[in-house]
Amino acid sequence: MNQLIAQLRIFTSELVKGAMIFWTILLAIIIGAYLIAFLGGVPNMLVVTNVPIVVFVAITAFRLIKDDLDYSIHLGITRNLFSFASILYIVAVSILFNLFHQFIILISSLLQGSILKDTLTFFSWSNILSNDSGYVFNFGLDLLLTVLVGFLLFFMASLLTRFGQLAVYIFLLAIILALFSPSVHQTLFDVILAFYQGSDPFLIWGMISAIILLPLLSFFTLQKASA
């Protein structure tokens, strides 16, 4: 337990600084968008604020192995514990960032129409999918997407550490070739369309399955990774 706490402290040593910079920039972008929309008279200006969170968590997940694996192993922390702590850390950061994101959107929604002129429209899954669940639905989908991409980059980092750049290139090439396959195109289109229409939640179950599978693959890949 003490080693797990020590490992999480290693991960979080630079998180506070990085998180402050990230949210300062994102809030500055939102405020700047308000000013542009208000001064330029742009009605219902669309602002996408969930994608930067996905990118931040993805970079953070990749750097866990790149920056901290060697140091952690030299401190006596096992690869199993490192993998477990990494999974907890990625999930925890994803939850905290997406909760704060929904809080910002909630505050902005309350201010718009009263203090602020209603000039910004924040991207949300509930609007696209015509779902009335609101913040809970948006938080859930954003969280799934953030964790999925985070685990994907963590797995790619494990491939890079264990096998080198060639393994990462082969993995990416396999994904690209699969996406160019007509059968995959049609299947993916059907799945997305069914999810959009609310007739089949297979896309969600597919994301959850990948979220379970990717950490397991990373766990076994890191077993023999050099440090």
Side-chain angles (χ1 to χ4, degrees):
M1 187 65 177
N2 292 334
Q3 281 193 326
L4 176 61
I5 295 175
Q7 181 65 76
L8 292 175
R9 284 178 177 172
I10 293 174
F11 290 158
T12 57
S13 59
E14 297 183 0
L15 177 64
V16 174
K17 180 180 179 181
M20 288 182 63
I21 294 174
F22 173 83
W23 287 110
T24 300
I25 294 175
L26 189 62
L27 288 173
I29 291 174
I30 294 174
I31 294 173
Y34 268 117
L35 291 176
I36 293 173
F38 178 74
L39 296 177
V42 181
N44 298 322
M45 182 176 178
L46 179 64
V47 179
V48 180
T49 52
N50 56 348
V51 173
I53 296 175
V54 176
V55 174
F56 180 89
V57 173
I59 295 174
T60 300
F62 187 87
R63 293 184 60 184
L64 289 181
I65 295 177
K66 182 178 180 293
D67 295 345
D68 297 324
L69 177 61
D70 290 358
Y71 179 66
S72 300
I73 297 298
H74 292 160
L75 288 180
I77 295 174
T78 65
R79 289 172 175 79
N80 291 348
L81 183 59
F82 177 88
S83 300
F84 180 67
S86 299
I87 293 169
L88 288 180
Y89 182 73
I90 293 171
V91 172
V93 173
S94 299
I95 292 174
L96 290 175
F97 270 53
N98 280 291
L99 278 176
F100 190 61
H101 175 240
Q102 291 301 319
F103 175 74
I104 290 176
I105 293 178
L106 175 62
I107 295 299
S108 299
S109 299
L110 293 176
L111 293 177
Q112 288 189 150
S114 55
I115 299 177
L116 299 173
K117 185 179 179 181
D118 189 8
T119 52
L120 287 190
T121 300
F122 289 90
F123 171 87
S124 66
W125 301 108
S126 57
N127 289 338
I128 292 178
L129 302 174
S130 300
N131 189 293
D132 296 330
S133 300
Y135 295 104
V136 175
F137 181 78
N138 292 325
F139 169 75
L141 272 185
D142 281 341
L143 179 61
L144 284 178
L145 182 61
T146 306
V147 174
L148 175 61
V149 176
F151 282 169
L152 177 61
L153 268 292
F154 185 77
F155 173 62
M156 291 175 62
S158 70
L159 287 178
L160 178 64
T161 301
R162 175 68 177 88
F163 301 107
Q165 292 183 350
L166 181 60
V168 178
Y169 294 150
I170 293 174
F171 177 70
L172 292 175
L173 180 60
I175 293 177
I176 293 173
L177 291 176
L179 291 177
F180 274 105
S181 171
S183 59
V184 174
H185 275 166
Q186 186 60 44
T187 301
L188 186 61
F189 176 79
D190 293 339
V191 169
I192 294 176
L193 179 61
F195 176 72
Y196 174 77
Q197 295 174 341
S199 59
D200 190 351
F202 180 79
L203 181 63
I204 296 296
W205 288 113
M207 294 175 66
I208 294 175
S209 299
I211 286 173
I212 296 173
L213 178 62
L214 287 171
L216 293 176
L217 293 176
S218 303
F219 173 83
F220 289 114
T221 303
L222 288 175
Q223 291 305 298
K224 296 183 179 181
S226 61

